[in-house]
Amino acid sequence: HVSVRYSGGFAITSVTPLVSTGPDDVLLVPDGSEPPSGGNAALETPMHAAIYGTRPDVNAICRGHSTAAVAWGLRTTDLPLLHGLGGLAGRRVPVHPEVELIRTTDQGMAVAATLANDHALIIRANGCLAVGAGPLEALTRLYFLEERARVALEAPADLEPMDWGDRHDNPEAELHRAMAWIEVAFGSERSR
């Protein structure tokens, strides 16, 4: 599911598969209100609410269950950074240790605490999420989070740690190029 902050709250996709989501499948959650539950509401809406409540810099969240991120999420250790573009998911990608579905405000707050000021996280045995200033940035970070997990799973176990120096301290140029690539590679037919 995907959510986007708006003035006064956030909008989140419902349980309808994204490929067939229409305007009626987007739910509005006002700031300070109890996240909706049941019906067509995304089960993990409290997780989105908690992240928006603790991170004023976040304006969009993309949540997914990509293969390599799920596989890495069987562990409890941070996802290592082993290639340059993997840094688009952030300098650090923690694994949230809880395997329960994130259905309550308290569970959502625990995920927000694990995310802290990072750009992405993996939820143990339950997929991943990435945040951004907008939906395209969050999606780009999520895409390269999956690539980072795939590289980590395929890399030799005895690989020496790398010193990235300050390469990932200011990734704006690389992020903008990657976002442009995502738009071209996965944009709508009208944008191609």
Side-chain angles (χ1 to χ4, degrees):
H1 38 270
V2 176
S3 66
V4 179
R5 187 190 299 266
Y6 69 90
S7 178
F10 66 95
I12 186 168
T13 55
S14 69
V15 295
T16 303
L18 285 178
V19 71
S20 58
T21 295
D24 293 338
D25 298 310
V26 177
L27 306 172
L28 300 179
V29 182
D31 284 338
S33 70
E34 189 64 28
S37 61
N40 216 17
L43 183 68
E44 294 180 324
T45 302
M47 178 172 62
H48 291 249
I51 292 170
Y52 288 123
T54 59
R55 293 280 301 272
D57 62 309
V58 170
N59 290 316
I61 301 169
C62 286
R63 171 89 162 95
H65 295 268
S66 55
T67 305
V70 169
W72 188 268
L74 300 175
R75 300 159 176 80
T76 57
T77 56
D78 288 0
L79 178 62
L81 176 55
L82 300 177
H83 70 109
L85 288 174
L88 293 174
R91 190 176 272 277
R92 176 177 177 255
V93 175
V95 176
H96 182 69
E98 188 174 347
V99 297
E100 293 294 324
L101 294 173
I102 312 302
R103 296 184 240 193
T104 69
T105 299
D106 288 344
Q107 289 173 312
M109 292 303 291
V111 169
T114 300
L115 179 63
N117 289 316
D118 295 315
H119 297 300
L121 68 74
I122 294 173
I123 300 171
R124 187 150 193 230
N126 189 19
C128 53
L129 65 82
V131 301
L136 180 58
E137 182 178 320
L139 174 62
T140 301
R141 292 186 188 284
L142 190 70
Y143 180 88
F144 286 100
L145 169 63
E146 171 63 7
E147 185 173 291
R148 178 172 171 165
R150 184 183 48 75
V151 169
L153 290 168
E154 292 177 8
D158 61 350
L159 194 64
E160 290 184 30
M162 291 180 226
D163 179 5
W164 290 97
D166 61 358
R167 175 173 177 178
H168 296 293
D169 288 342
N170 189 10
E172 291 305 309
E174 203 163 38
L175 177 60
H176 289 292
R177 281 195 319 270
M179 287 169 41
W181 179 81
I182 290 285
E183 249 184 333
V184 169
F186 302 106
S188 71
E189 288 301 317
R190 284 183 231 162
S191 68
R192 289 186 196 193

